[in-house]
Amino acid sequence: VGTVLLSAAEARAESFGAETFEMFVIDSRTKLLQWYSQKGYMPCIDAPRVPFPIDAGVGTPRADVGTLQFIRLVKDTKLYTQSEHDAFWGVEYTQPDTRES
């Protein structure tokens, strides 16, 4: 469901000419950060982390609120190649095998 929703949102934004996508994710959500990295998102290193909005009415965190921060993720369709993205995340990039068996 998440992949379909994200792809639809990106396609809709691209239909309006968007080339860059960004979002904020709680930095302790490592599995979610890994999932977004597989979708081409990279952390914006120079952007400051944003504290969790305690008074925003978005629910009660399970973790200590003082430790929750958002990290900015960016996907720029014109800036990074897949191999550059993978190198940043420490993924070994290999070309797919296109030979027939």
Side-chain angles (χ1 to χ4, degrees):
V1 173
T3 299
V4 173
L5 184 59
L6 182 62
S7 295
E10 289 176 353
R12 180 73 171 157
E14 286 176 334
S15 75
F16 288 103
E19 296 177 347
T20 304
F21 310 102
E22 67 179 69
M23 68 180 74
F24 289 85
V25 177
I26 295 175
D27 63 356
S28 61
R29 299 283 313 273
T30 55
K31 287 185 181 180
L32 186 58
L33 290 168
Q34 290 171 352
W35 185 82
Y36 279 120
S37 79
Q38 294 169 356
K39 305 302 178 196
Y41 287 82
M42 296 179 66
C44 187
I45 301 298
D46 59 347
R49 301 221 174 175
V50 179
F52 187 83
I54 299 166
D55 299 327
V58 293
T60 305
R62 295 181 190 166
D64 176 20
V65 177
T67 64
L68 293 178
Q69 295 182 335
F70 286 99
I71 186 171
R72 180 178 168 216
L73 300 180
V74 177
K75 179 179 181 179
D76 190 326
T77 61
K78 302 291 183 193
L79 187 59
Y80 298 107
T81 65
Q82 184 65 44
S83 59
E84 289 171 327
H85 167 270
D86 291 349
F88 179 87
W89 284 99
V91 175
E92 184 176 330
Y93 182 74
T94 56
Q95 291 287 346
D97 187 357
T98 56
R99 297 174 291 174
E100 292 185 27
S101 313

